[in-house]
Amino acid sequence: MSFSNFRLYNLALLILIVLSPNIAFGKGKAINENDSIYVVVDKNPEFPGGDAARIEFIKQNVQYTEEARKNHEEGRVIVQFVVNRIGEIKDAKILRAVSPSLNQEALRLVNSFPKWLPGQLNGEKVSVYRFMPISFKYIPEES
């Protein structure tokens, strides 16, 4: 098994451990479809305008806190959230933390996203878990 495949396997295992038992995979019927949150769907949720628009939104809206600047904090925060069946962001939480200030900023950013195009399974709109890395790079201010 290559290192890349090993990392993917571990990420998939982590996802199965971390997520609630209310997840339904693939095309199977859930016990209560109104409450199901899917990981594997036919069509993933999409940020309005696609990935390029999402990246631009993050660039335009990120606020590097004074505390993070002072401490030269940087790193990649991984956020898990749900895009519900009407495209709203719900239940955002940190899966991989860097520092309290950067974690808080990553959550603020995700929770400020506009409505997404919801995911679909068998032609129906469904709630879907999403995982997103948000990278922070310390850049000293010029005097």
Side-chain angles (χ1 to χ4, degrees):
M1 179 181 291
S2 73
F3 182 72
S4 177
N5 288 341
F6 181 74
R7 287 181 61 190
L8 287 174
Y9 173 79
N10 281 340
L11 178 59
L13 187 59
L14 174 68
I15 290 168
L16 289 174
I17 292 169
V18 170
L19 301 179
S20 72
N22 203 22
I23 299 171
F25 289 89
K27 299 181 187 309
K29 287 277 187 189
I31 294 171
N32 182 350
E33 289 191 39
N34 291 334
D35 296 330
S36 295
I37 303 171
Y38 293 84
V39 174
V40 178
V41 292
D42 298 330
K43 183 176 180 193
N44 281 317
E46 186 176 320
F47 189 88
D51 286 339
R54 178 181 50 85
I55 292 167
E56 188 60 30
F57 179 91
I58 292 171
K59 284 181 185 177
Q60 295 296 320
N61 291 283
V62 70
Q63 297 172 4
Y64 219 93
T65 66
E66 190 58 40
E67 179 184 350
R69 278 189 209 289
K70 184 177 120 185
N71 296 327
H72 301 191
E73 295 174 1
E74 60 183 19
R76 185 170 62 175
V77 177
I78 299 179
V79 182
Q80 170 192 301
F81 57 95
V82 174
V83 178
N84 70 15
R85 65 180 68 216
I86 60 172
E88 298 171 330
I89 303 300
K90 300 289 184 189
D91 304 325
K93 67 180 181 179
I94 301 297
L95 290 184
R96 179 174 180 241
V98 173
S99 72
S101 62
L102 294 183
N103 299 344
Q104 184 177 1
E105 177 57 13
L107 286 174
R108 187 197 66 77
L109 271 171
V110 167
N111 285 317
S112 71
F113 283 158
K115 280 190 175 181
W116 288 41
L117 303 173
Q120 293 184 12
L121 181 63
N122 297 326
E124 299 289 323
K125 294 178 182 177
V126 294
S127 298
V128 180
Y129 278 109
R130 296 294 293 173
F131 306 89
M132 182 175 301
I134 299 179
S135 296
F136 295 90
K137 178 75 174 153
Y138 172 74
I139 301 172
E141 291 184 31
E142 294 183 23
S143 302

